[in-house]
Amino acid sequence: RSFQEQASQREQPYLELRPFVLDEGRQAYEQRQQKMSARSANIPWSQLAPRLRELLRSPLYLHLFHETFKEQTRPPTDLDESQLLDAYLNRLGEDLSCITDRLAEIGRLMYASRQPQLPVAVADEWVSEWRRQHGGTLRVVKLDPLEELVAASLLLRPAEEGAGMERRLAAYTFTHQRLCEQVLLRELLRQIQPRTLPSAEELLRWSQHAAGTPEGVQPFAELGGALDSLAARLAAAGQGDTLAVLLDLADDAVRARLLGTALRALRPLWGKTDEGEPQAAGVLAALVRQGSSAIECGERFNRSVQEAQRWLNQAGFGLTAAAIARGRVTVLSALVAETPQTVDLQ
């Protein structure tokens, strides 16, 4: 298969890798151990937590897991997607000392520019500064920071774009969107350190930064991916009042994405009763309260949670899906009671 790259307008080939089924994942995991033992974790598949085994059905995450925990014999605590990516970046930072600082700089630049890339002009400035700071001998034996990021398979070298006299190098881009999103997540956490979860005001500001506008500003999808991780963490921490601020967000796509992520994150926390465990049920209750407060919030709540409800029901998490359905009825009932003359609630 191929796709047309926007920057160069060229057809670029790609190979689509579907997730392994669970037994294929086990076989791929063990084959890596047998054929690349020096770059593999020495942890039996049977010792991995069930959620981690499910994550390693992805060929990308299976590779990153072995690269991160190579030669280790103790299984890590249960990792989610974001935690595995962060552990991988930390491992690279241990092996290549300058990578962590450079990735932090790239994260700040991407957030400010709303572009998931490193412009060549900026990269050239960084390399020139590095060469001024280091003597000629070191420059012969050591890669510059940008080449180290390329060698570590984090960045792709820029391709040419344009034609004829207009040809020029495009920007450095990440080898995988999820790595880009993780670098942006690190930037968001830097902005609020030492805290690890944002306030409602911070979450709303970042979400607005990720959203497009009617005036033609394109959505910043990679920042939305970084915010997905925070939405899931807020839900797991029971921070429903913080998540409820998303009902003040005008952009339907970003709001639905983040609230959907938060509600899906409740599925292992809900428990085995209709009412749900208090912390998980409290997240949904906060969203329902905010949705019941005004027509606009109620309509946004209803539009934003439909897909999550459908996904949870199809995935076998009927109790959580049913609770969302009851919440939607509560919100719509409150709005009809408040404004009985309204007949076009969405």
Side-chain angles (χ1 to χ4, degrees), residues 130 135-144 148:
W130 180 85
T137 302
L138 180 60
R139 287 164 52 185
V140 171
V141 299
K142 183 175 174 60
L143 295 175
D144 67 58
E148 285 195 333

Side-chain angles (χ1 to χ4, degrees), residues 1 4 61 167 177 179 188 201 222 243 251 274 312:
R1 297 189 180 188
Q4 188 174 57
Y61 295 133
R167 292 181 71 84
Q177 182 173 329
L179 291 169
L188 299 181
E201 293 77 12
E222 289 78 7
L243 288 163
D251 187 277
D274 290 342
L312 286 163

Side-chain angles (χ1 to χ4, degrees), residues 182-202:
Q182 190 65 29
V183 171
L184 280 164
L185 175 59
R186 286 181 160 202
E187 166 58 17
L188 299 181
L189 294 175
R190 182 197 66 80
Q191 293 181 20
I192 63 171
Q193 62 185 0
R195 290 182 290 120
T196 58
L197 292 175
S199 66
E201 293 77 12
E202 290 160 342

Side-chain angles (χ1 to χ4, degrees), residues 155-233:
L155 294 184
L156 293 171
R157 288 191 179 87
E160 288 187 335
E161 63 180 7
M165 297 295 291
E166 301 298 320
R167 292 181 71 84
R168 60 187 178 87
L169 291 176
Y172 287 85
T173 55
F174 280 85
T175 55
H176 197 283
Q177 182 173 329
R178 285 297 292 119
L179 291 169
C180 178
E181 292 170 358
Q182 190 65 29
V183 171
L184 280 164
L185 175 59
R186 286 181 160 202
E187 166 58 17
L188 299 181
L189 294 175
R190 182 197 66 80
Q191 293 181 20
I192 63 171
Q193 62 185 0
R195 290 182 290 120
T196 58
L197 292 175
S199 66
E201 293 77 12
E202 290 160 342
L203 179 63
L204 181 59
R205 183 176 73 251
W206 292 340
S207 301
Q208 290 168 336
H209 196 56
T213 69
E215 293 74 31
V217 175
Q218 294 299 307
F220 190 4
E222 289 78 7
L223 182 58
L227 290 169
D228 270 340
S229 295
L230 288 177
R233 294 179 190 185

